[in-house]
Amino acid sequence: MAIEYTGSLQGKVRAHTPETLAATWLNAYVVLPNAGGAPKVGTVEEFKGETKAYPAVVFCHGSSGVNPQIKIFAQWLADALRVAVVVPDSMQTEDRLTYSSPVPAADYEIIHKMRSQELALAMMEIKHAPWFDGRAIIAGTSEGGVTAARY
C-alpha cells in the first residue's frame, strides 16, 4: 500500500549558513526565574549581563515555532521549578523549509538536520551564558521532540 503524501512544503532554505545558525541561538527565547515577581523574558543577547545562574531547560519548539503556548510553558517552568529556560528559535531563518504533514521522510530529514545543528549549537553556547550554572536537561515537543530525542 502506497502512502499518499497530502501535505505540502513551503520555503526554500534547506541548510543553515553560519549566520542563520547563529541567529537561532542569539535570538532564542529565554526565561529566567525572578524572585518575588514574574519570570524575566528576553533573548540570549539581552541577558548577557545576568549574574545569577540557574540550571537550564533547553527546549526545542515544534514546527510552529516559539508560539504563545511555548512561551506560557517556558514561563511556568521558570517560575515553578526555578530554572532558566532557553528555546532556540528555528524560525529566525527567513524562508526556512516548513511543512504541513504528511510529506515524504526525506523532507522531514532535511528539517531534522537543521534542528539538530541548532540544538548542538545551543548546547555548546549555553556553557558561556552567565545565567547558566552548568546543569541542563533537553526537552522538546513534536518536531522539537525528535530533535531532543536524537541528541
Side-chain angles (χ1 to χ4, degrees):
M1 172 186 219
I3 296 174
E4 183 178 354
Y5 297 112
T6 57
S8 63
L9 296 171
Q10 300 83 38
K12 294 182 177 117
V13 176
R14 295 170 178 258
H16 276 299
T17 65
E19 294 79 19
T20 63
L21 184 57
T24 68
W25 171 252
L26 295 174
N27 297 298
Y29 182 76
V30 178
V31 183
L32 300 180
N34 186 14
K40 298 183 276 185
V41 176
T43 66
V44 169
E45 286 291 293
E46 292 170 330
F47 287 127
K48 277 184 176 177
E50 186 67 33
T51 57
K52 182 139 174 66
Y54 306 93
V57 176
V58 179
F59 193 83
C60 302
H61 64 70
S63 61
S64 59
V66 186
N67 61 37
Q69 293 80 15
I70 298 294
K71 291 178 179 182
I72 290 167
F73 179 62
Q75 290 175 35
W76 176 83
L77 278 174
D79 188 47
L81 302 180
R82 312 301 299 158
V83 296
V85 181
V86 60
V87 186
D89 189 355
S90 187
M91 300 308 182
Q92 289 294 311
T93 303
E94 190 175 325
D95 204 30
R96 168 196 181 273
L97 183 65
T98 59
Y99 58 88
S100 58
S101 293
V103 296
D107 294 320
Y108 290 118
E109 289 305 323
I110 292 167
I111 292 168
H112 291 317
K113 180 178 179 185
M114 292 176 73
R115 297 300 304 275
S116 292
Q117 292 170 332
E118 295 161 12
L119 180 55
L121 177 67
M123 295 308 293
M124 183 177 66
E125 291 295 329
I126 197 170
K127 295 173 189 173
H128 308 292
W131 42 264
F132 178 58
D133 77 358
R135 298 176 291 163
I137 63 168
I138 302 167
T141 187
S142 192
E143 177 184 291
V146 174
T147 304
R150 287 182 174 182
Y151 187 83

